[in-house]
DNA sequence: ATTATAATTATACAGTTGCATAATTGTAGG
DNA sequence: CCTACAATTATGCAACTGTATAATTATAAT
């Protein structure tokens, strides 16, 4: 009679780690950092709290890993559709902006998550490094899309100019992203991407709004 | 001999309340919401913890009051210099943008504070109401400045257009504000206001960068 | 089947948290 | 001067926190 109801299952390390990270992220999104206690995380991941210590040397270690995971995912979600777009540079830029200002990138949970981490970012060096890294990745990606679009219309820009344009466009996208996440019902469904396209277009001096509708 | 060293002093209610709020804000700015425990707040305000309960019915009550106080101050700091400017509408708008992108409005503590509150904002109705209120105040202020500037150069805009422009400009300013606060050493001292002016100018189609230097 | 071992659970602990309640004490009005 | 009362301190408590350590148990290799 070996029918003892098995009390737990062993999972591959990476899978468990990610499950714990996901549990952590969902808790922070819902209740902020304070809601992410080891016990709450363990419960949400259907695991006992001791296991967290087995995979992460401390709670801070888990938080750091979760932050890295979230920021990477955010950047990837925004970049992916534009990366697969091989039409014109302008359209690629437009796709990037539109994606970054549409669900699921724009989402209360995402914004809450980002905000929840921010004060740790300013206090902890490791967090600061991750923040700087992901910010630069995102902005560099945007800068190269802008450079391509400007070349395409025959108005290339100097490196210094490109830097300024990238910072500005990044700010518009970030700002709209935040507002959309923080006030989900304050904007029409298509309003944010439209405003984003018009603004980025105005800043770099290239028309972007009419491009999106066309079928290849 | 009535020289017993007086153990405490009675302060007017409003003054004590504000002292407690200031202590709360400085703690959240430095360490996030988690650092703002009743004991830490009391100590920073040079008071014992029981007193907090005497002025605020709960910790949440204090946090809410602190949030309201901070957001009001942020909006006021940004608006004040532009309000006292009676030259041209364009200059007033430029002053508004510049002020919002310069110290002390741009400041790691301010951003940290704002972020620390955000997840509470999404969860708590009272906080949500305060957030919506201050956001609208700020954006409406910006919208009226934009409207004046456009009228001044003879290109008035429709209400719907004005709304879009205000949302976009608000996003630029907010985005730059955040980036400046989150990465204090990533930008040159004058870089953010310059980029802000150029971007807002580009979005609404009015030159703003050359105005600031002129002496009346 | 047995065994070795890592994955997982179980238990314990000292410190911290928000809050309630009681005990003081400054101070304005008589 | 003193008296009343609110402002403030003092003390206590139950719940929760992160972490350490020991006890189980699934599972792959033998």
């Amino acid at each position: 009679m070996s029918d003892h109801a098995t009390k737990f299952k062993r999972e591959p390390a990476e899978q468990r780690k990610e499950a714990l990270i996901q549990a952590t992220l969902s808790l922070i999104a819902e209740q902020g950092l304070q809601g992410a206690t080891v016990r709450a995380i363990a419960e949400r991941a259907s695991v006992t709290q001791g296991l967290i210590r087995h995979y992460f040397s401390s709670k801070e270690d888990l938080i750091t890993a979760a932050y890295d995971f979230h920021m990477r995912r955010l950047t990837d979600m925004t970049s992916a559709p534009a990366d697969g777009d091989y039409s014109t540079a302008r359209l690629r830029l437009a796709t990037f902006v539109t994606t970054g200002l549409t669900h699921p990138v724009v989402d209360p949970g995402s914004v809450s998550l980002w905000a929840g981490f921010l004060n740790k970012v300013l206090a902890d060096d490791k967090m600061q490094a991750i923040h700087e890294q992901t910010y630069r990745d995102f902005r560099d990606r945007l800068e190269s899309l802008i450079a391509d679009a400007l070349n395409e219309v025959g108005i290339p820009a100097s490196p210094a100019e490109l830097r300024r344009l990238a910072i500005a466009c990044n700010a518009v996208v970030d700002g709209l992203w935040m507002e959309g996440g923080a006030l989900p019902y304050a904007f029409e469904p298509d309003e944010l991407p439209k405003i984003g396209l018009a603004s980025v277009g105005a800043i770099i001096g290239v028309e972007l709004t009419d491009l999106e509708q066309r079928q290849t």
Side-chain angles (χ1 to χ4, degrees), chain A:
Chain A
M1 51 179 80
S2 55
D3 60 351
H4 41 243
T6 166
K7 287 194 173 172
F8 59 86
K9 198 178 160 218
R10 297 192 172 191
E11 302 278 2
E14 281 314 308
Q15 195 168 322
R16 266 275 123 100
K17 271 193 165 186
E18 188 173 322
L20 288 171
I21 286 177
Q22 295 281 16
T24 306
L25 290 176
S26 69
L27 275 167
I28 297 180
E30 289 169 22
Q31 314 174 28
L33 269 173
Q34 345 196 43
T37 66
V38 286
R39 283 166 180 82
I41 294 168
E43 186 186 15
R44 185 158 295 197
S46 305
V47 131
T48 54
Q49 46 158 328
L51 198 59
I52 290 179
R53 269 273 296 181
H54 190 258
Y55 286 110
F56 299 92
S57 67
S58 69
K59 189 193 169 185
E60 192 190 318
D61 192 25
L62 168 56
I63 297 286
T64 305
Y67 180 54
D68 190 49
F69 185 92
H70 173 59
M71 293 310 279
R72 275 212 158 70
R73 189 180 51 182
L74 219 50
T75 305
D76 289 349
M77 275 199 301
T78 309
S79 299
D83 287 344
D85 186 339
Y86 297 106
S87 52
T88 71
R90 274 168 294 175
L91 235 124
R92 226 175 300 134
L93 175 57
T95 301
F96 184 85
V97 171
T98 305
T99 308
L101 294 175
T102 317
H103 194 81
V105 177
V106 170
D107 173 75
S110 260
V111 175
S112 174
L113 221 29
W114 178 89
F117 281 121
L118 193 62
N119 35 41
K120 290 236 161 190
V121 166
L122 290 162
D124 185 308
D125 284 344
K126 243 180 254 169
M127 298 283 279
Q128 177 98 37
I130 296 173
H131 173 65
E132 220 161 318
Q133 181 65 41
T134 52
Y135 170 73
R136 288 308 304 259
D137 281 355
F138 190 88
R139 203 181 81 191
D140 288 348
R141 180 88 189 90
L142 187 51
E143 183 171 321
S144 96
L145 286 170
I146 293 173
D148 291 349
L150 287 177
N151 284 331
E152 192 172 83
V153 295
I155 329 174
S158 72
E161 257 176 73
L162 271 177
R163 173 187 155 90
R164 278 190 282 111
L165 294 178
I167 292 173
C169 293
N170 185 51
V172 185
V173 174
D174 273 9
L176 290 172
W177 172 78
M178 255 175 21
E179 286 161 30
L183 291 168
Y185 301 111
F187 305 96
E188 303 292 321
D190 275 357
E191 204 170 12
L192 293 180
K194 271 186 189 164
I195 294 177
L197 283 179
S199 306
V200 168
I203 289 172
I204 68 173
V206 174
E207 177 64 39
L208 293 176
T209 42
D210 291 341
L211 302 173
E212 50 180 347
Q213 307 285 14
R214 90 166 189 194
Q215 314 279 3
T216 309

